[in-house]
Amino acid sequence: AASTMRSLISNHSRYVESFRVFLENSTEHQCMQEFIEQQLPGVISSIGNGKSTINILSVGGGAGEIDLLMLSKVRAKYPGVTINNEVIEPSAEQIFSYKERVAKTSNLENIKFTWHKETAHEYESRMNAEKESKKWDFIHMVQVLYYVKDIPATIRYFHQLLEAQAKLLIILVSGTSGWATLWKKYGSRLPLNDLCSYITSADIEAILDSAGLKHQLYELPSHMDITSCFTEGNTDGELLLDFLTEACEFSKTAPPELKQQIMEALRKPECSEERDGKVLFNNNLSVIVVEP
């Protein structure tokens, strides 16, 4: 029987809802925060040397939570310097949340925010049309490269916009994560549309190596509690399953055989570990820092 599965991305409100449940049940943001606290100061230690203005480009900045954490580290390293923070983000909803967050945050005096409602590709086209080649001191792409059509070309494009001391920072799921296992095995049977690709840090490293771009890799251990996925009819569990499979209403629309295989795979050690009666999915992230 033909499957009625639809991509989760095609239902924006359900995507947002499942993403919220994912953040509540995972250490996704905590492990990024820890990296920003402990490692980022070293990464950005020379991006602003001798500059009166630091230009930062946030590609797919979302609602700005991680952006503001990174900005606070740049400010701490370069107190009193003007920071020009430009954000590329295609979702109007996310930009709205980002602006609200900025309005509620104190001591952002010397930071100038500009938002562009566009994709990375649209930004590139606009810059080419305007014959502008603005250079940046720090460019970051957090959990965004899945939504880019030509990944090698996108990395090359943003890499060439780096100043001499600059850094390009990429965060993605790790090649060692449960995501990598799940996507390799079942990706071809899941309803992912053209807007998104199953890509991990291992793929990005291969792209960087073949382009001869020097980079450093940091692994961030992270997990997601997916115990609720194994309780039939649990609302959070169903949203997490949607998020895991990128399918809208996965448990209702997936072919029974595929559903059974995925439910079994999710419990296996390649994807998860069972601890204290909980099933913890391996949500490891990688941070890749690319040199100019």
Side-chain angles (χ1 to χ4, degrees):
S3 155
T4 55
M5 283 196 293
R6 283 195 358 265
S7 166
L8 179 60
I9 309 242
S10 65
N11 182 333
H12 185 70
S13 61
R14 188 158 174 100
Y15 174 80
V16 169
E17 188 70 353
S18 69
F19 183 64
R20 183 185 59 76
V21 177
F22 161 67
L23 287 181
E24 278 169 11
N25 287 279
S26 72
T27 59
E28 172 90 354
H29 274 178
Q30 293 90 309
C31 80
M32 287 188 205
Q33 283 160 358
E34 210 167 287
F35 171 83
I36 291 168
E37 286 296 324
Q38 291 162 14
Q39 316 274 356
L40 189 69
V43 169
I44 59 165
S45 64
S46 63
I47 62 168
N49 286 357
K51 306 204 160 186
S52 56
T53 302
I54 295 173
N55 293 310
I56 300 177
L57 183 62
S58 162
V59 181
E65 187 178 353
I66 301 299
D67 282 22
L68 290 185
L69 291 176
M70 290 203 262
L71 283 167
S72 71
K73 292 298 164 212
V74 176
R75 278 204 39 178
K77 174 72 189 138
Y78 300 101
V81 167
T82 303
I83 299 171
N84 168 38
N85 187 69
E86 295 200 25
V87 182
I88 300 169
E89 169 56 54
S91 158
E93 233 174 309
Q94 293 279 60
I95 290 177
F96 180 78
S97 306
Y98 196 140
K99 289 180 175 173
E100 277 195 319
R101 190 182 297 271
V102 166
K104 288 195 198 107
T105 306
S106 55
N107 59 31
L108 297 174
E109 298 79 41
N110 53 353
I111 305 178
K112 178 176 176 284
F113 289 88
T114 314
W115 289 271
H116 304 281
K117 187 188 170 305
E118 61 193 354
T119 64
H121 183 65
E122 286 163 349
Y123 173 83
E124 184 179 341
S125 306
R126 182 167 64 86
M127 287 299 127
N128 290 339
E130 292 174 10
K131 304 255 184 298
E132 268 220 57
S133 191
K134 197 165 173 189
K135 294 271 184 163
W136 301 91
D137 302 303
F138 184 38
I139 300 177
H140 54 81
M141 310 174 138
V142 176
Q143 294 287 43
V144 76
L145 283 172
Y146 319 106
Y147 309 109
V148 160
K149 256 215 165 37
D150 186 339
I151 294 165
T154 301
I155 291 175
R156 273 198 310 276
Y157 173 72
F158 286 102
H159 179 263
Q160 53 146 23
L161 302 181
L162 293 175
E163 292 279 17
Q165 309 265 9
K167 296 280 188 278
L168 166 61
L169 180 140
I170 295 168
I171 301 187
L172 254 121
V173 295
S174 167
T176 66
S177 65
W179 297 102
T181 307
L182 202 61
W183 290 344
K184 267 195 196 76
K185 207 164 174 187
Y186 299 101
S188 63
R189 296 165 65 189
L190 292 169
L192 202 49
N193 60 17
D194 308 343
L195 294 175
C196 191
S197 62
Y198 291 128
I199 185 159
T200 71
S201 64
D203 303 302
I204 301 298
E205 280 215 284
I207 290 168
L208 293 170
D209 286 338
S210 70
L213 299 180
K214 204 168 146 297
H215 60 277
Q216 251 184 315
L217 180 81
Y218 303 82
E219 285 285 324
L220 314 185
S222 174
H223 65 262
M224 157 171 41
D225 183 345
I226 60 168
T227 318
S228 61
C229 294
F230 300 95
T231 308
E232 198 67 43
N234 179 297
T235 313
D236 279 5
E238 294 196 345
L239 285 163
L240 286 176
L241 270 178
D242 283 14
F243 194 76
L244 281 161
T245 57
E246 297 273 350
C248 188
E249 309 247 9
F250 174 78
S251 54
K252 294 189 180 67
T253 60
E257 178 208 9
L258 177 65
K259 183 181 172 184
Q260 190 193 341
Q261 286 173 353
I262 285 182
M263 297 309 287
E264 281 169 17
L266 284 174
R267 289 196 100 110
K268 292 204 174 111
E270 297 81 50
C271 279
S272 304
E273 63 163 319
E274 306 220 13
R275 208 168 50 210
D276 310 325
K278 291 196 165 106
V279 185
L280 302 176
F281 182 81
N282 178 328
N283 184 55
N284 290 358
L285 303 177
S286 297
V287 178
I288 301 172
V289 178
V290 191
E291 304 291 328

